[in-house]
Amino acid sequence: MEKRFPRNKKHYIKLVRKAQNRMLQNSEYCEKHHIFPKSIFGKNNYIVKLTLREHFVAHLLLWKYYKRKYGNKNQKTIKMVYALNRMRTSR
């Protein structure tokens, strides 16, 4: 089980780096994503453009990371659950 914890972080970093190093077409829909979540780190300018699917996956990976690191009842994990649920229900 511990082996999966670093994997989520590794996949998140890989996803963000991939997005930082590419150019999206003007016709491609994208969303801005704070690399360091605003709900945890406050306002920051570390933003990357992700496709809709990548954005959802990024939030899913962040939730898994915080859940494993801090547990279900930690405030950071709860904030990630809230963000993920907003993405799932607002589309």
Side-chain angles (χ1 to χ4, degrees):
M1 200 144 113
E2 280 300 312
K3 290 180 181 180
R4 293 177 66 163
F5 161 68
R7 197 178 320 163
N8 293 325
K9 184 177 177 181
K10 178 182 167 185
H11 287 307
Y12 178 75
I13 292 168
K14 186 177 177 181
L15 176 75
V16 167
R17 285 188 179 151
K18 175 185 162 191
Q20 287 175 323
N21 295 321
R22 67 142 184 250
M23 298 291 287
L24 289 173
Q25 301 295 324
N26 287 338
S27 61
E28 252 184 296
Y29 177 76
C30 65
E31 297 184 338
K32 292 180 182 176
H33 173 73
H34 284 86
I35 298 169
F36 301 103
K38 281 192 325 185
S39 61
I40 296 172
F41 295 96
K43 268 190 154 179
N44 63 75
N45 294 326
Y46 299 102
I47 296 173
V48 66
K49 290 182 181 179
L50 300 174
T51 65
L52 180 62
R53 183 177 188 282
E54 287 172 337
H55 199 192
F56 180 79
V57 169
H59 279 272
L60 183 62
L61 291 169
L62 283 170
W63 166 69
K64 287 181 178 183
Y65 170 78
Y66 282 101
K67 180 181 169 188
R68 290 224 183 252
K69 185 166 184 174
Y70 299 107
N72 280 327
K73 296 185 179 183
N74 184 279
Q75 194 63 31
K76 292 177 182 179
T77 305
I78 292 168
K79 288 178 180 184
M80 291 298 101
V81 167
Y82 177 75
L84 183 61
N85 283 335
R86 279 197 65 208
M87 289 192 76
R88 288 178 47 211
T89 59
S90 67
R91 302 266 180 245

